[in-house]
Amino acid sequence: QVQLVESGGQLVQAGGSLRLSCAASGRSFRTYTMGWFRQTPGKEREFVAGISVTGTTTYYADSVKDRFTISRDNGKNTVYLQMNSLKPEDTAVYYCAGAGGRSWLRRDSVGLYDYWGQGTQVTVSS
């Protein structure tokens, strides 16, 4: 069991930037694959970005590729999502997620993660 807490969500204008943070409890963070997801009312939670245990591999949904960047600082038990060139359709509750073991696995869907934060609201105005 691990606890994840997101922060950084707020109202921003289209074209602006925002950085989300996810702080993890415990001493096993460095062994977890981490990811970001988002969800809007009436839609399923969707994958945004994933990062490997050491941070050497990252992968993204097509909708955010070239605009968002996921990174991690294992010394701080924190994963980040840098969001640039924001669009109104990026408006959602953003969740961080983690999973241990099978470090080789490309975790790009909800069912592949074990631990979830409570989410942080990002609103992009037009």
Side-chain angles (χ1 to χ4, degrees), residues 1-3 9 16 25-26 29 31 38 41 44 49 72 85 87 118:
Q1 182 66 258
V2 64
Q3 292 184 339
S25 66
F29 176 78
T31 72
R38 65 188 183 187
E44 296 181 348
R72 67 190 296 162
S85 301
K87 306 174 180 179
Q118 293 300 306

Side-chain angles (χ1 to χ4, degrees), residues 64-114:
V64 307
K65 193 174 182 64
D66 300 323
R67 297 190 299 120
F68 291 9
T69 302
I70 187 172
S71 62
R72 67 190 296 162
D73 186 337
N74 286 348
K76 296 182 178 179
N77 273 22
T78 303
V79 62
Y80 305 95
L81 185 67
Q82 178 66 48
M83 305 184 292
N84 298 327
S85 301
L86 283 163
K87 306 174 180 179
E89 50 262 47
D90 294 319
T91 295
V93 176
Y94 282 72
Y95 299 87
C96 66
R102 304 174 72 182
S103 59
W104 48 266
L105 184 64
R106 188 178 191 271
R107 298 184 187 268
D108 59 359
S109 64
V110 168
L112 296 177
Y113 286 84
D114 301 313

Side-chain angles (χ1 to χ4, degrees), residues 2 15 18 31 40 43 46 48 50 52 60 63 66 69 80-82 86 91 99 103 105 116-117 120 124 126:
V2 64
L18 198 62
T31 72
T40 56
K43 296 189 65 177
E46 67 174 349
V48 174
S52 64
Y60 302 88
S63 58
D66 300 323
T69 302
Y80 305 95
L81 185 67
Q82 178 66 48
L86 283 163
T91 295
S103 59
L105 184 64
W116 295 86
T120 185
V124 184
S126 60

